[in-house]
Amino acid sequence: MGFAILTFIVAFIHVIAGAVVLHKYPQYKTIAISVIVLGFIYGLLTVGFIVL
């Protein structure tokens, strides 16, 4: 269960950081979007760890 909490925290940080970068630095749009997508992937991993 501890690993699920850790992946949730990492996913949350990725999504928030990606949104901040996308808002403040539009020239890094592709990097920001990839970080947000990575955050959602970590979120899916969190759901997988909780279900298992």
Side-chain angles (χ1 to χ4, degrees):
M1 188 66 176
F3 197 67
I5 294 170
L6 181 66
T7 54
F8 174 75
I9 292 169
V10 170
F12 188 74
I13 290 172
H14 271 85
V15 172
I16 296 298
V20 167
V21 169
L22 190 61
H23 179 70
K24 286 194 169 198
Y25 307 103
Q27 67 267 27
Y28 299 118
K29 184 178 180 180
T30 55
I31 295 172
I33 290 173
S34 63
V35 167
I36 292 171
V37 168
L38 188 62
F40 280 115
I41 291 172
Y42 278 132
L44 290 174
L45 280 176
T46 303
V47 170
F49 285 129
I50 290 174
V51 168
L52 295 176

